């Protein structure tokens, strides 16, 4: 049993930390408050190859192992969770295209996506369908060599910057069960009828946009059907979300790490009653709890990622990591705020932003209640074994 990184992973983490500490941490609070899009950071991530971390080398990517994959999101979220979000949806989409796309789709799209020349995301959620993806109402009616798409999507990350967007649709709305009539179309966002209507206001997760999209009689070429076969869209989306949960777990660890770092630093510097507050047992207990849960979340995340690297399905493992790490991020950010006292409520200190960013981790890529049901089903069926 090996709990250490190899030399390549250590060097990669070092480069990531240098980038985050130099380019992201100094500007995150100010840019988040002003609503400034992090263009310069995005351009730097392109040069680092981070838009191609789930794309094979043959298509221009760097195809990281899954432990290194989670490290990307951990380190970026430690600096600013919104930056990690820009990459999250993009690389999930690239993973799906590589896993399920036709060779022509991969050759046409992945080289441009891997460099960041083109951007993408994923269009699943609708105003009336989030967790229940089988309840989507967006339809794609076949008309000759095109599909005519009508519907709406919401909470779409990268919507204003995407060149192509995988969109979950119903190609057969009458199918029973519903998933047999669901497909994914790789939609060119410049097509007439594709409209990004507005950016949604958010508590946290700023730096990247989350938008509502209208699809009004969008004529999409039939060869944009992911994989070339109708009726496989839900399975394709769920396979992507399985890997996406490693991304969320990594982001959660990054938020919790930033909260711990801020809390420990402040406790050492802040004095009360003639001594650093770190000398008070009540503060020490909080720091011990944050650190212990943080390290447990980190190890669970790396464990789930290493299981994915072995080639097995990781519904249970990724669900556990996402569930535990996201709850840890929420608790760690709250406890860090308490350690800061009144200053924790100030926008001048990072913990206020962490406290707003953390809750999304319990929602994204499937709510934590859903994660618990995924874990339980694996245990009851015997597909997941503990001990």
């Amino acid at each position: 049993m090996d709990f250490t990184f190899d030399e390549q992973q250590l060097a990669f983490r070092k480069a990531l930390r240098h980038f985050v500490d130099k380019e992201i941490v100094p500007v995150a609070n100010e840019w988040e408050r002003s609503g400034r899009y992090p263009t310069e950071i995005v351009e730097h991530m392109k040069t680092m190859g981070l838009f191609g971390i789930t794309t094979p080398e043959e298509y221009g990517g760097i195809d990281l192992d899954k432990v290194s994959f989670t490290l990307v999101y951990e380190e970026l979220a430690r600096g600013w969770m919104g930056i990690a979000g820009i990459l999250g949806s993009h690389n999930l989409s690239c993973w799906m295209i590589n896993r399920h796309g036709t060779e022509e789709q991969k050759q046409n799209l992945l080289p441009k996506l891997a460099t960041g020349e083109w951007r993408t995301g994923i269009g699943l959620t609708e105003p009336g369908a989030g967790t229940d993806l089988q309840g989507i109402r967006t339809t794609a009616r076949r008309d000759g060599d095109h599909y005519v798409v009508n519907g709406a999507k919401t909470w779409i990350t990268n919507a204003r910057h995407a060149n192509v967007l995988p969109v979950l649709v119903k190609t057969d709305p009458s199918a029973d069960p519903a998933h047999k009539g669901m497909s994914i179309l790789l939609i060119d966002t410049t097509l007439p009828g594709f409209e990004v209507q507005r950016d949604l206001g958010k508590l946290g997760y700023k730096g990247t946009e989350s938008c509502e999209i209208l699809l009004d009689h969008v004529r999409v070429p039939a060869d944009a059907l992911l994989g070339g076969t109708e009726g496989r869209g839900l399975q394709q989306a769920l396979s992507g979300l399985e890997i996406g949960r490693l991304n969320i777990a990594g982001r959660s660890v990054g938020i919790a790490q930033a909260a711990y770092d801020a809390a420990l630093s402040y406790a050492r510097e802040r004095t009360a009653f003639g001594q650093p507050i770190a000398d008070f047992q009540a503060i020490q207990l909080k720091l011990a709890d944050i650190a212990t849960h943080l390290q447990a979340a980190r190890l669970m995340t790396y464990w789930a990622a290493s299981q994915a690297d072995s080639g097995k399905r990781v519904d249970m493992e990724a669900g556990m990591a996402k569930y535990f790490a996201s709850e840890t991020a929420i608790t760690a950010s709250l406890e860090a705020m308490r350690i800061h006292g009144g200053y924790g409520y100030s926008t001048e200190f990072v913990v206020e932003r962490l406290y707003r960013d953390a809750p999304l981790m319990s929602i994204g890529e499937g709510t934590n209640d859903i994660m618990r049901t995924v874990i339980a089903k694996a245990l009851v069926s015997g597909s997941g074994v503990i001990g």
Side-chain angles (χ1 to χ4, degrees), residues 46-327:
K46 290 178 183 179
T47 67
M48 295 175 70
L50 298 183
F51 283 89
I53 62 176
T54 57
T55 300
E57 292 182 7
E58 64 186 291
Y59 301 112
I62 58 176
D63 196 22
L64 292 179
D65 64 89
K66 293 302 183 293
V67 174
S68 299
F69 170 85
T70 62
L71 278 174
V72 170
Y73 295 104
E74 176 184 338
E75 290 300 323
L76 291 177
R78 181 178 63 81
W80 185 2
M81 202 274 285
I83 301 295
I86 292 172
L87 281 185
S89 295
H90 176 94
N91 281 312
L92 188 156
S93 175
C94 291
W95 188 90
M96 281 200 322
I97 293 169
N98 179 61
R99 177 72 176 270
H100 302 292
T102 65
E103 185 59 33
E104 182 180 4
Q105 288 167 347
K106 289 189 278 189
Q107 289 182 2
N108 288 342
L109 298 176
L110 289 179
K112 292 181 179 179
L113 293 172
T115 63
E117 177 188 353
W118 277 17
R119 302 266 295 281
T120 186
I122 185 166
L124 303 179
T125 304
E126 297 187 1
T131 297
D132 179 20
L133 286 177
Q134 294 192 65
I136 66 167
R137 300 178 66 180
T138 298
T139 60
R141 176 179 56 83
R142 186 68 182 257
D143 181 24
D145 58 358
H146 284 74
Y147 288 96
V148 180
V149 182
N150 285 283
K153 297 292 178 178
T154 193
W155 294 113
I156 308 305
T157 299
N158 291 337
R160 293 195 180 278
H161 293 83
N163 300 88
V164 61
L165 189 72
V167 176
L168 186 65
V169 299
K170 285 191 172 177
T171 43
D172 181 4
S174 63
D176 186 20
H179 72 83
K180 290 188 176 181
M182 300 173 70
S183 306
I184 289 179
L185 293 176
L186 304 170
I187 298 182
D188 178 347
T189 60
T190 65
L191 290 173
F194 184 101
E195 179 185 355
V196 178
Q197 293 195 302
R198 69 185 180 108
D199 291 16
L200 297 162
K202 297 173 291 186
L203 173 70
Y205 188 45
K206 300 182 180 180
T208 185
E209 75 277 23
S210 301
C211 300
E212 288 183 345
I213 293 174
L214 176 66
L215 300 128
D216 183 12
H217 293 86
V218 184
R219 292 187 62 83
V220 180
D223 61 9
L225 177 67
L226 182 63
T229 302
E230 291 185 3
R232 296 182 179 176
L234 186 62
Q235 293 91 335
Q236 292 166 346
L238 293 178
S239 71
L241 292 175
E242 177 189 350
I243 299 303
R245 286 164 188 157
L246 296 177
N247 147 22
I248 298 296
R251 284 198 238 177
S252 299
V253 172
I255 293 171
Q257 182 68 54
Y260 168 74
D261 290 342
L264 180 61
S265 176
Y266 185 81
R268 286 169 169 168
E269 295 171 1
R270 174 71 171 178
T271 60
F273 307 102
Q275 58 184 316
I277 65 171
D279 290 346
F280 296 126
Q281 190 176 58
I283 300 297
Q284 291 175 351
L285 295 178
K286 289 182 183 296
L287 291 171
D289 286 345
I290 295 172
T292 301
H293 284 87
L294 165 60
Q295 191 62 1
R298 174 176 282 116
L299 291 175
M300 182 170 283
T301 298
Y302 295 168
W303 163 69
S306 67
Q307 292 295 297
D309 277 330
S310 72
K312 63 176 288 187
R313 286 192 59 130
V314 290
D315 303 81
M316 183 189 75
E317 293 87 342
M320 284 181 166
K322 188 267 186 189
Y323 167 45
F324 186 80
S326 61
E327 293 295 333

